[in-house]
């Protein structure tokens, strides 16, 4: 199993970024997936989740209305569109394979920095 995130970077407040997570080594379309972030000095924070078919999505209150999770099962790729970014969104963003009782595989993370 391999999960590889990309698309992070530095952006000004109010800006946008689109994160991608390329999955391999398993049947991507059979698993729910999540984005989780970790800010410096803080614990992991769940951001968003999506079911296998992409028809059900879930968001933390802190990102609701600004972030959109999606997936392309034909490309084995998970996405996170992030709009109206705030300094408090600064974190290392991970994609994770979701199980009913937690996560079993994580990527290496991609850094998002929101700063003027």
């Amino acid at each position: 199993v391999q999960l590889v995130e990309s698309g992070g970077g530095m952006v000004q407040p109010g800006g946008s970024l689109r994160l991608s997570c390329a999955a391999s080594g398993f049947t991507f379309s059979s698993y729910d997936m999540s984005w989780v972030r970790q800010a410096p000095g803080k614990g992991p924070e769940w951001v968003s989740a999506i079911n296998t078919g992409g028809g059900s999505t879930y968001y933390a209150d802190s990102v609701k209305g600004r972030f959109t999770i999606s997936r392309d099962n034909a490309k084995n790729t998970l996405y996170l569109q992030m709009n109206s970014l705030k300094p408090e969104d600064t974190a290392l963003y991970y994609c994770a394979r979701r199980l009913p009782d937690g996560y079993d595989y994580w990527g290496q993370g991609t850094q998002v920095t929101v700063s003027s």
Side-chain angles (χ1 to χ4, degrees):
V1 173
Q2 191 171 19
L3 300 169
V4 180
E5 300 94 337
S6 62
M10 181 175 288
V11 64
Q12 292 187 340
S16 298
L17 284 173
R18 188 195 196 201
L19 306 184
S20 298
C21 171
S24 60
F26 67 103
T27 305
F28 178 69
S29 59
S30 295
Y31 288 85
D32 296 345
M33 298 293 295
S34 282
W35 288 98
V36 179
R37 67 186 181 186
Q38 186 164 16
K42 296 186 177 181
E45 176 191 15
W46 171 76
V47 174
S48 183
I50 189 167
N51 72 339
T52 54
S56 295
T57 57
Y58 310 89
Y59 299 94
D61 287 344
S62 58
V63 307
K64 198 171 294 182
R66 300 187 297 121
F67 290 10
T68 303
I69 190 171
S70 63
R71 66 191 297 163
D72 185 336
N73 286 340
K75 295 183 177 179
N76 292 341
T77 303
L78 177 72
Y79 302 101
L80 186 68
Q81 177 67 43
M82 305 186 297
N83 299 329
S84 303
L85 282 162
K86 304 176 181 180
E88 51 263 43
D89 294 318
T90 295
L92 193 58
Y93 283 72
Y94 301 90
C95 65
R97 194 171 78 169
R98 183 180 174 96
L99 299 179
D101 59 349
Y103 309 99
D104 61 349
Y105 286 96
W106 300 67
Q108 84 291 345
T110 186
Q111 178 67 40
V112 171
T113 302
V114 185
S115 175
S116 55

